[in-house]
Amino acid sequence: MLQIQLIRENPQFVIDRLKVKNFDAKAIIDAIAQLDVEIRQNKKVLDDNLMEQKKLSADIGKLFKEGKTAEAQDLKKRIAELKEVEKQSQAMVAEKSDEIQNKLVLLPNLPHSSVPIGKTAADNEIIYTEGDASDFTCEVLPHWELVKKYDIIDFDLGCKITGAGFPIYKGKGARIQRALINFFLEEAINHGFTEIQPPYVVNEASAYATGQLPDKEGQMYHCQVDNFYLIPTAEVPLTNIYRDVILKEGDFPIKNCGYSACFRREAGSYGKDVRGLNRLHQFDKIEIVVIEHPDRSYETL
């Protein structure tokens, strides 16, 4: 989530960077800026109020010692009035803080300066290619035909048991899947990552912390009785290990990896790009997460 200080100090920079993602942030940024002003104004009222209460309390003590009871009682009435103002200002700060939080979670993270502007896959920048995709000496089949030919993945059976997007891996297909999970975990471990076996469901706070909520709520499977969410990737529980944790610079880098089944509704997916193993509702994934100092984060990436 973006820091309020960045928005406060350079709102236009945030608006311009998010345009790269084709996200119009102006209305949200303007609302956040206004809420921020109101919060700071009310906090100043609270600070001034507290200072006046402290001064009046000291004056009341002196007046009582001097026998000026009437004047002391008048000041006590003034303190009561200030406490009422304090209560109203605290309620206002809490309300506006909730509002600003609800706005902040609507903003995407800023793209890196190297990210090109674009709207479709045609605008993507090709970094490098390897091999010639047209250089084949054998019959070329799409993977959904190959897995049917060798009877290693059954989409129809998965659809019968559950629904579309839940394939059945059979025989060598299941063994390949299991072997790949183990292979990539071992590779990560050999590169200094600590393996974590995370839960497959998370609470609402965890879903908000990694940005799945609120904008991807329609893509998540929600266990409403417990208000838990099935994870779309192990990134969510792995990252939330450090939610609300303050790390020391000497702790970096922290390198974790983990396997999980992943669950996504992929609402609205259709067409040739979702055939076969694309856009599944359940799939396996190895996640690697590095917690790094911001000055070194992009180099690490």
Side-chain angles (χ1 to χ4, degrees), residues 56-82:
L56 289 176
S57 295
D59 291 343
I60 288 171
K62 291 178 182 178
L63 289 171
F64 274 124
K65 285 182 181 179
E66 296 170 1
K68 299 178 180 178
T69 305
E71 290 93 328
Q73 291 297 340
D74 288 341
L75 293 186
K76 288 182 72 174
K77 290 179 183 179
R78 174 57 182 160
I79 286 181
E81 293 171 358
L82 289 171

Side-chain angles (χ1 to χ4, degrees), residues 64-286:
F64 274 124
K65 285 182 181 179
E66 296 170 1
K68 299 178 180 178
T69 305
E71 290 93 328
Q73 291 297 340
D74 288 341
L75 293 186
K76 288 182 72 174
K77 290 179 183 179
R78 174 57 182 160
I79 286 181
E81 293 171 358
L82 289 171
K83 285 187 179 295
E84 186 60 34
V85 172
E86 179 184 8
K87 187 188 299 183
Q88 294 172 3
S89 294
Q90 286 176 336
M92 183 68 72
V93 168
E95 178 185 342
K96 299 298 180 183
S97 295
D98 286 343
E99 288 184 38
I100 210 168
Q101 184 74 11
N102 291 336
K103 298 289 184 185
L104 284 170
V105 297
L106 298 177
L107 294 173
N109 284 328
L110 303 186
H112 189 263
S113 58
S114 65
V115 175
I117 297 175
K119 291 187 176 181
T120 69
D123 300 315
N124 289 341
E125 178 184 349
I126 297 175
I127 305 301
Y128 69 88
T129 60
E130 184 173 343
D132 184 356
S134 63
D135 185 18
F136 288 98
T137 57
C138 60
E139 180 185 14
V140 178
L141 295 175
H143 77 271
W144 53 87
E145 292 186 20
L146 283 171
V147 298
K148 186 174 183 179
K149 177 180 178 180
Y150 293 105
D151 194 26
I152 59 176
I153 299 177
D154 194 323
F155 296 103
D156 294 333
L157 186 55
C159 191
K160 169 192 170 182
I161 294 172
T162 306
F166 295 89
I168 294 284
Y169 296 82
K170 303 164 58 179
K172 289 183 178 179
R175 293 179 65 191
I176 290 171
Q177 190 81 341
R178 175 164 50 86
L180 286 172
I181 291 169
N182 189 64
F183 170 77
F184 282 113
L185 280 173
E186 291 298 325
E187 281 293 294
I189 292 167
N190 290 338
H191 284 81
F193 286 79
T194 299
E195 182 180 356
I196 304 291
Q197 187 171 358
Y200 290 0
V201 295
V202 294
N203 56 34
E204 191 173 69
S206 294
Y208 268 99
T210 49
Q212 270 63 46
L213 295 179
D215 66 318
K216 296 180 179 64
E217 184 170 12
Q219 296 183 28
M220 299 184 74
Y221 286 97
H222 187 197
C223 308
Q224 294 183 339
V225 173
D226 304 295
N227 198 28
F228 290 157
Y229 292 84
L230 293 178
I231 61 172
T233 160
E235 171 197 346
V236 177
L238 289 183
T239 304
N240 270 281
I241 292 172
Y242 304 97
R243 172 164 53 90
D244 299 328
V245 174
I246 297 176
L247 299 168
K248 298 178 181 178
E249 186 170 356
D251 296 332
F252 303 125
I254 297 171
K255 301 167 69 175
N256 290 331
C257 67
Y259 157 75
S260 78
C262 306
F263 305 89
R264 299 181 189 177
R265 278 205 178 94
E266 296 292 356
S269 296
Y270 62 91
K272 65 181 180 63
D273 293 331
V274 299
R275 293 190 65 181
L277 295 173
N278 294 324
R279 298 297 181 185
L280 296 179
H281 297 296
Q282 177 183 320
F283 56 94
D284 294 311
K285 185 181 179 186
I286 307 301

